Amino acid sequence: MENPAALKCFSPANFKMHSSIGVIFLLLRCFDGLVLGELHQDFSQCLDFFYKGTPPQGINSVGYQPICQRFNNQYRFASMYHRQSRAPLYSAYVISSANGKRPKSTWKYEPQLAFSQASPEMKAFNATVDQNVIESQAVPQDYSHSNYTKGHLTPSMHHNTQDDRAATFTLTNVVPQRAGSNSGPWSSLEKEVMRKFKTFCEGPMYVITGAMPYADGARWINNRVSVPEYMWSAYCCPSYAAELPRDVRPTFPAYAAVGRNDRDSGEEFVAVNPKARASVRRYDVRKMPLETLEGILAQRLAMPISLFDGQCQSLPQL
Ligand SMILES: *[C@@H]1O[C@H](CO)[C@@H](O)[C@H](O)[C@H]1NC(C)=O
Ligand SMILES: *[C@@H]1O[C@H](CO)[C@@H](O)[C@H](O)[C@H]1NC(C)=O
């Protein structure tokens, strides 16, 4: 536990100073935001972004807050936000091919995380940021001089319209990602998923992309935002071309990947290609069946997560 906010909240000094009623009050204060968030928010407004309208199952809900990502009066994708990490566990979306350019990156925040009565519509950061916003989520300053880039979970170029793309620039869709991963093997993976969608997918393709924390305790940027050791992603395309090339066949209807976000990680999940270019070396991505990813997530997050309803089994073709 290196998160200073959490330490402040739960430090033994705090407990000693309070009567038992005081302690209960203190605990209520610590969890206030979480409880309010869970009472008032779920994914019911944005189930369309999940295969069969079903969000991933098995996530122990304590500390997680679903966000239906809303921009310009429309829902654009969904994120599972973790308050203590000030970072998302995953973002879920339906991929579509981008026409036009990557938008200018105007970074946004979520007023409803800071003020329980606020609109869920994401807003652009002001020059001066409200203290409640700073407490409840990552702010651009967390990333400056951190040696990490802002790594999109759902990338802007997996969305068709300008507004859909602009909506991906919220810090609740972003984790601290090494440049060698973000502009290297992870970027290649995003392009490959898009290519698979365009070439072989004959209906919607549902994508869930997330972050995997360190096993031996969290690492933070600016002592505030949790850094993932790995990135992960999975897609589900239940209706796909009848004739698939032999090497593509195992990758439908569902497939997954895990990418390294730390050069020094061991190779238990993702092996290293010693011949890779220096700038991307040790940021390899390993492609794998959906079940393999779910096994890794179960091990690392200690949660038996099922990402897609019924493992994304497509109906037999008539
Ligand atoms: C930005 O400014 C508006 C209006 O002054 C204020 O309501 C809002 O809380 C500010 N946002 C942040 C992130 O400080
Ligand atoms: C960023 O990297 C540089 C060069 O390795 C290092 O000196 C600096 O301490 C790092 N900054 C942070 C915040 O880790």
Side-chain angles (χ1 to χ4, degrees):
M1 291 270 288
E2 289 170 34
N3 185 336
L7 284 180
K8 213 188 304 165
C9 216
F10 294 110
S11 78
N14 255 337
F15 284 90
K16 266 192 231 125
M17 281 163 24
H18 290 75
S19 67
S20 54
I21 289 177
V23 169
I24 289 169
F25 180 71
L26 179 74
L27 285 173
L28 282 176
R29 268 182 24 136
C30 289
F31 284 111
D32 191 38
L34 297 181
V35 173
L36 282 177
E38 276 154 30
L39 284 181
H40 296 305
Q41 289 185 314
D42 55 30
F43 284 130
S44 59
Q45 300 302 310
C46 54
L47 292 174
D48 289 350
F49 300 120
F50 298 96
Y51 174 59
K52 291 199 172 161
T54 307
Q57 303 293 299
I59 292 168
N60 170 352
S61 66
V62 174
Y64 289 100
Q65 174 155 1
I67 298 177
C68 288
Q69 298 279 11
R70 193 176 161 91
F71 178 62
N72 270 355
N73 288 317
Q74 267 182 43
Y75 293 108
R76 311 287 171 172
F77 59 98
S79 301
M80 185 62 98
Y81 181 68
H82 190 240
R83 276 195 179 256
Q84 200 197 334
S85 308
R86 294 197 184 81
L89 174 64
Y90 66 73
S91 286
Y93 60 101
V94 181
I95 196 170
S96 64
S97 52
N99 295 312
K101 293 206 184 79
R102 194 175 194 268
K104 237 184 73 203
S105 41
T106 303
W107 288 99
K108 301 176 202 64
Y109 69 99
E110 312 281 338
Q112 78 278 25
L113 292 177
F115 312 99
S116 57
Q117 305 304 317
S119 138
E121 172 92 16
M122 63 178 78
K123 292 203 170 62
F125 278 105
N126 302 341
T128 54
V129 184
D130 185 281
Q131 192 59 30
N132 289 304
V133 172
I134 295 176
E135 287 298 324
S136 61
Q137 54 204 289
V139 297
Q141 288 76 0
D142 290 322
Y143 283 84
S144 8
H145 314 297
S146 72
N147 292 342
Y148 286 87
T149 63
K150 301 186 194 76
H152 280 76
L153 295 186
T154 177
S156 73
M157 295 310 279
H158 281 187
H159 294 272
N160 182 247
T161 68
Q162 197 66 27
D163 273 359
D164 282 352
R165 289 205 288 282
T168 66
F169 289 84
T170 166
L171 289 181
T172 54
N173 176 47
V174 158
V175 294
Q177 188 178 12
R178 290 291 190 196
S181 162
N182 200 353
S183 50
W186 196 256
S187 166
S188 308
L189 175 77
E190 290 171 346
K191 292 191 180 109
E192 187 188 326
V193 170
M194 175 57 80
R195 208 160 43 237
K196 288 257 186 69
F197 167 65
K198 285 190 185 167
T199 317
F200 304 112
C201 194
E202 298 188 338
M205 178 184 266
Y206 301 87
V207 186
I208 302 179
T209 298
M212 211 189 303
Y214 284 84
D216 60 353
R219 321 248 169 127
W220 308 86
I221 56 171
N222 203 19
N223 280 332
R224 282 172 36 87
V225 181
S226 166
V227 175
E229 184 174 11
Y230 297 95
M231 313 282 289
W232 54 268
S233 185
Y235 67 74
C236 163
C237 164
S239 123
Y240 52 91
E243 302 286 332
L244 290 178
R246 179 190 292 267
D247 61 321
V248 173
R249 237 176 272 161
T251 70
F252 280 88
Y255 210 49
V258 172
R260 300 167 62 92
N261 193 38
D262 185 339
R263 287 167 180 259
D264 299 327
S265 291
E267 301 191 43
E268 70 273 32
F269 296 143
V270 186
V272 161
N273 169 10
K275 296 198 189 114
R277 274 182 294 129
S279 62
V280 303
R281 194 169 297 147
R282 302 187 68 90
Y283 292 115
D284 304 68
V285 167
R286 173 184 155 205
K287 292 159 214 165
M288 58 183 72
L290 176 62
E291 295 71 24
T292 309
L293 171 62
E294 288 179 342
I296 291 173
L297 292 177
Q299 187 184 331
R300 183 50 73 89
L301 300 173
M303 294 189 262
I305 297 182
S306 157
L307 291 172
F308 301 111
D309 189 60
Q311 299 293 103
C312 183
Q313 289 307 311
S314 52
L315 295 170
Q317 310 217 329
L318 298 176

